[in-house]
Each structure stands twice: as structure tokens, then as C-alpha cells.
Amino acid sequence: MNTAPVASSASADGPRWLTDEEQRVWRSYIEAATLLEDHLDRQLQRDAGMPHVYYGLLVKLAEAPQRRLRMTELAMSAKITRSRLSHAVARLEKSGWVRREDCPSDKRGQFAVLTEEGQEVLRKHAPGHVSAVRQAVFDRLTPEQQKSLGEIMRIVAEGLQPREAGADLPWLR
């Protein structure tokens, strides 16, 4: 259903509506992003007993020096709110895959640390997850399309992360 008026240009006091082609692209993106996240969530729930966002947190920790990150850095890296991160880390702690450590230089700060069990969960489930990502995305695209997709998503992500003070970003909430 096209909810935009026939004219696609903005008037002095009205919105700049999407063209038919822009609507097609936008809706294709929304459908693909929703289906991809669901696909990856189902694969990881089935194979590893965790949602995609938790797996992503384990990966971020595995790639960090000493397999540890300050909680604020982990939230920023994962692009999630601090409260969502806190809940996720609590669940990962309960599974024995992550532990929290107090920051010695900042009484209020904490580190999330990937445990040996968490590292083993990644080793065990990474091949299946990579296979799901490859099948869902990369096997469907030419090398040129892959490069274009990467460039486009980088531009969009950079545009949504303003650097000025007071920016409304998930990890600052």
C-alpha cells in the first residue's frame, strides 16, 4: 500500500515523500533485514541456545584484547542500549560464558570478560553461524554486489552515528 501522495517533491510545509522506486528499495531493505535477523536468530537459538545479539557480544569479546571490554565500549560496539547490554550480560553470566570484573581505575566501571566456556561456545557454533550468513547473504551476491552492499551499509551506519555531543545513540541511553 502506497501511503504517499502522488507528488514526490516536498512543499514548503510538507514532507518530501519517497518516490515509487525509493519506496520499493526501502521496503525491500526492511523485509530483507527483518527476515535476515529472524533467520540468524533461529539458527543460533536452535544450534547454540542463544539469540543473535548474544552471539555478537561473545564475538566482540573474543576479538578484544585479553577477551575483555568495558561495558560501555561493548554497548557502543554492539550498537545497543546499556540496559539491553546489562540484561544480555546477566544472561551470558548465568550460562557461564561471560563474567564481569570491576574496573580498578573507575569504581563505577565494569568489564565484561569472555570465559573459557564462552570461547568454547564460539568455537563450537561459529562454523554453523558462518554457514548461515554465507547462505543467506554472500552466496546470493556477486563480488561486485558484496562490495556495493558493504559500501552502502558503511555510509548509512556512519550517517546514523553523529559525533557531536548530545547525539542520541543507543549506547548513550
Side-chain angles (χ1 to χ4, degrees):
M1 178 173 103
N2 186 343
T3 59
V6 176
S8 65
S9 61
S11 66
D13 56 358
R16 190 172 147 233
W17 296 104
L18 298 178
T19 66
D20 287 346
E21 179 62 12
E22 288 169 334
Q23 282 222 22
R24 186 192 65 73
V25 170
W26 175 244
R27 289 178 182 176
S28 293
Y29 164 77
I30 292 296
E31 289 172 9
T34 301
L35 289 168
L36 180 60
E37 188 62 29
D38 179 70
H39 176 73
L40 297 177
D41 247 355
R42 284 183 296 114
Q43 179 269 319
L44 283 164
Q45 286 286 4
R46 179 186 66 241
D47 297 350
M50 75 176 95
H52 187 223
V53 70
Y54 290 15
Y55 181 86
L57 294 172
L58 296 180
V59 169
K60 300 280 186 198
L61 291 171
E63 294 172 343
Q66 300 174 332
R67 298 187 324 208
R68 75 177 51 222
L69 283 172
R70 286 185 64 120
M71 292 285 283
T72 52
E73 291 176 61
L74 186 55
M76 184 170 71
S77 178
K79 312 294 187 239
I80 61 176
T81 63
R82 290 179 287 190
S83 64
R84 185 172 185 196
L85 175 66
S86 184
H87 176 75
V89 169
R91 297 286 305 273
L92 292 168
E93 279 181 301
K94 192 173 185 178
S95 297
W97 301 338
V98 170
R99 73 175 181 274
R100 291 183 213 219
E101 293 178 355
D102 290 332
C103 178
S105 64
D106 177 2
K107 298 284 186 210
R108 295 182 306 160
Q110 285 192 317
F111 287 98
V113 182
L114 183 67
T115 64
E116 287 299 324
E117 296 112 286
Q119 185 72 37
E120 186 54 36
V121 165
L122 280 178
R123 268 194 224 83
K124 180 178 179 183
H125 296 291
H129 180 63
V130 169
S131 179
V133 170
R134 181 168 296 290
Q135 175 270 328
V137 179
F138 295 100
D139 289 349
R140 299 172 189 272
L141 302 175
T142 66
E144 295 78 24
Q145 289 170 323
Q146 292 175 23
K147 183 178 178 186
S148 293
L149 179 62
E151 291 169 354
I152 291 165
M153 292 296 98
R154 180 185 48 75
I155 289 166
V156 171
E158 286 174 0
L160 292 171
Q161 297 180 84
R163 299 198 187 281
E164 66 265 4
D168 184 20
L169 298 166
W171 56 92
L172 299 176
R173 287 185 234 137

